[in-house]
C-alpha cells in the first residue's frame, strides 16, 4: 500500500519546526501566545489545498478538519489529534533542523553548541535507529518533535487518504490544539463541533508505543494557622507557622512516596510550592497514583501525618483542601476496549512490536477521554523531548503514518 507513496511527514516536519510556537504558562490569553496561530493557520491552508473543504482555524487557534468517508458502511467517526505548541522549558526560536542521514551509531555533535552531544550510551533507543535518518536541532533550541512530529504525521495521513481513494475509511476528523504544554490544550476545544466518537493523540515516543493509562491526579493545599505575637514578647505565645511547615516537609517519607524515589506504577506525594509568614503558611502538594482510590489513600496518609505533627501545638490549626486535577484515562478506555485494541492491530500491521505504556503524567488525551472523547496516545517518534538534544527518526515518522492509515482501515473493516 505504501510502496510507491512519497511520504511527506519529514518534509512537512522540517518546515513546521522552523515556526516558533512556544506556549507561555504565565499568559492568560487563548492561545497563550499569538505565534502559535502562525502554524495553525498554515496547517488549515495546507489541508484546504488537499481538498479538505471545511478545514479552518478558530479564534482560539484550534484547527478542525474533516476527511470525508468513502465507504457505504456506518463507521464510528475517529479523530487524530496533535498539539502545535512547544514546551516553555527550552527556546523554540530560530530552530534549525538538521538531517543526519543513515545514522551509524556515532556521537552526533550539535554544531551551534558543541557541548550538546547525542550519545547512544545516554539515549539507548538510538540502537534501534541504526540506518535511519535522524533529525536534530542545531544546539541552541529544542527541536519541537513534541509535537510537530504528530502534526506532520497527521498532515501526511490526510495527504495519503486524499490521494489514495481506494483505501476505504469512515469519516476522519483532524484536530490540532494549542497550549498542551501549559495544561490548557483542551480549554477551548469544541467537541460538539468536532463530532468524533473516538480519538487518538499522536504524541508518544518510540515506534510501537501505545499509551492507554495516565496518572490520576489531585492537588492538595494545606494552610497552617500559627499564633502570632510581638517577637520581643513572644515567649510561650508565638507558634511560627513556617517552622511547622518545615516539620511537615521533613516528616514526608524520604525513600518512598516521592517523585525522587518512585518509578513505574508507583505514585507519590509531592510538595510543589510553599508560601508564608509566621502567622500563616501554605503548602501546595500534587498527589499522583494510577488508581484513583490510591489517591485517596495518599491524601489520608498526608492528612494524618500533618495532624500528628500539629497535635503538639494545641493552638495551631490547619486546613486541608483537595482539588481534582485529572483522572487515569484507562477508567474511560476500559469501557471501550476496541479503541485500544484496533490501535494495537494497526501497529502490528505496520510491522512493529506493540509496547504498552503508562504515562507518569497527564495528557490532553486523559482530559479528552473524560470530556467524552475516549482517546489513547499513539507513538509519534519524538525522543529527548523538551531538550536541546531532542531528536526523531524519519523512518519512525513514516511508520506512524502507516499505523494511522491502517487504523482508519481497521475501523472500516470492523464496522
Ligand atoms: Zn506533547
Amino acid at each position: 500500500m505504501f510502496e510507491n507513496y512519497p511520504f511527506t511527514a519529514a518534509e512537512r516536519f522540517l518546515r513546521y519546526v522552523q515556526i516558533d510556537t512556544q506556549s507561555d504558562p504565565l499568559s492568560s490569553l487563548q492561545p497563550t501566545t499569538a505565534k502559535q496561530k502562525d502554524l495553525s493557520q498554515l496547517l488549515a491552508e495546507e489541508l484546504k489545498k488537499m481538498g479538505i473543504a471545511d478545514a479552518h482555524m478558530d479564534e482560539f487557534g484550534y484547527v478542525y478538519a474533516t476527511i470525508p468517508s468513502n465507504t457505504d458502511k456506518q463507521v464510528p467517526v475517529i479523530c487524530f489529534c496533535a498539539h502545535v505548541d512547544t514546551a516553555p522549558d527550552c527556546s523554540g526560536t530560530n530552530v534549525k533542523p538538521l538531517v543526519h542521514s543513515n545514522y551509524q551509531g556515532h556521537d552526533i555533535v550539535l554544531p551551534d553548541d558543541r557541548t550538546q552531544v547525542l550519545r547512544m550510551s545516554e539515549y539507548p533507543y538510538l540502537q534501534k535507529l541504526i540506518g535511519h535518518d535522524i533529525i536534530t536541532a542545531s544546539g541552541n533550541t529544542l527541536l519541537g518533535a513534541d509535537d510537530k512530529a504528530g502534526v506532520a504525521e497527521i498532515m501526511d495521513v490526510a495527504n495519503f487518504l486524499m490521494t489514495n481513494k481506494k483505501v476505504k475509511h469512515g469519516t476522519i476528523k483532524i484536530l490540532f490544539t494549542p497550549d498542551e504544554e501549559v495544561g490548557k490544550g483542551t480549554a477551548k476545544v469544541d467537541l460538539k463541533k468536532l463530532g468524533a466518537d473516538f480519538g487518538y493523540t499522536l504524541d508518544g515516543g518510540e515506534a510501537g508505543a501505545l499509551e492507554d493509562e495516565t496518572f490520576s491526579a489531585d492537588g492538595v493545599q494545606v494552610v497552617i494557622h500559627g499564633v502570632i505575637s510581638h517577637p520581643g514578647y513572644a515567649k510561650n505565645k508565638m507558634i511560627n507557622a513556617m517552622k511547622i511547615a518545615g516539620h511537615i516537609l521533613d516528616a514526608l517519607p524520604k525513600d518512598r512516596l516521592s517523585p525522587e524515589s518512585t518509578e513505574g506504577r508507583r505514585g507519590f506525594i509531592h510538595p510543589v510550592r510553599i508560601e508564608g509568614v509566621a502567622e500563616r503558611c501554605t503548602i501546595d502538594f500534587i498527589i499522583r497514583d494510577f488508581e484513583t482510590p490510591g489517591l485517596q489513600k495518599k491524601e489520608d496518609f498526608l492528612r494524618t501525618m500533618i495532624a500528628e505533627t500539629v497535635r503538639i501545638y494545641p493552638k495551631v490549626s490547619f486546613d486541608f483542601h483537595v482539588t481534582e486535577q485529572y483522572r487515569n484515562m484507562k477508567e474511560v478506555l476500559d469501557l471501550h476496549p476496541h479503541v485500544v485494541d484496533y490501535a494495537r492491530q494497526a501497529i502490528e500491521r505496520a510491522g512493529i512490536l506493540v509496547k504498552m505504556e503508562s504515562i507518569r503524567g497527564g495528557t490532553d488525551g486523559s482530559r479528552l477521554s473524560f470530556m467524552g472523547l475516549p482517546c489513547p496516545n499513539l507513538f509519534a517518534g519524538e525522543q529527548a523531548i523538551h531538550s536541546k538534544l531532542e531528536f526523531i527518526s524519519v523512518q519512525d515518522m513514516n511508520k506512524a503514518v502507516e499505523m494511522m492509515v491502517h487504523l482508519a482501515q481497521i475501523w472500516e473493516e470492523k464496522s
Side-chain angles (χ1 to χ4, degrees), residues 226-280:
V227 180
I228 194 66
S229 74
H230 187 291
Y233 307 92
K235 190 174 182 190
N236 299 328
K237 289 197 196 81
M238 185 195 283
I239 306 173
N240 190 324
M242 289 187 289
K243 292 185 181 174
I244 294 175
H247 288 309
I248 291 169
L249 294 180
D250 193 51
L252 288 170
K254 296 187 176 51
D255 54 354
R256 62 193 180 97
L257 289 177
S258 67
E260 308 94 301
S261 64
T262 51
E263 60 184 357
R265 293 191 55 81
R266 302 226 178 255
F268 53 75
I269 297 169
H270 177 42
V272 289
R273 186 169 164 275
I274 181 161
E275 187 178 47
V277 290
E279 189 177 12
R280 186 176 190 272

Side-chain angles (χ1 to χ4, degrees), residues 83 146-147 180-181 203 382:
H83 64 92
D146 175 12
D147 184 22
E180 191 267 356
E181 299 288 1
D203 197 13
E382 59 206 62

Side-chain angles (χ1 to χ4, degrees), residues 14-62:
L14 293 171
R15 284 190 289 116
Y16 300 159
V17 297
Q18 295 181 59
I19 301 170
D20 184 355
T21 56
Q22 192 179 52
S23 49
D24 177 2
L26 302 176
S27 163
S28 54
L29 303 173
Q30 194 79 35
T32 58
T33 52
K35 60 190 175 185
Q36 294 178 65
K37 286 186 172 179
D38 296 346
L39 176 55
S40 296
Q41 187 60 51
L42 176 72
L43 296 172
E45 281 161 20
E46 291 188 2
L47 288 165
K48 263 194 141 70
K49 276 192 200 133
M50 291 176 197
I52 300 178
D54 72 343
H56 68 285
M57 178 186 78
D58 76 3
E59 58 180 309
F60 305 113
Y62 290 76

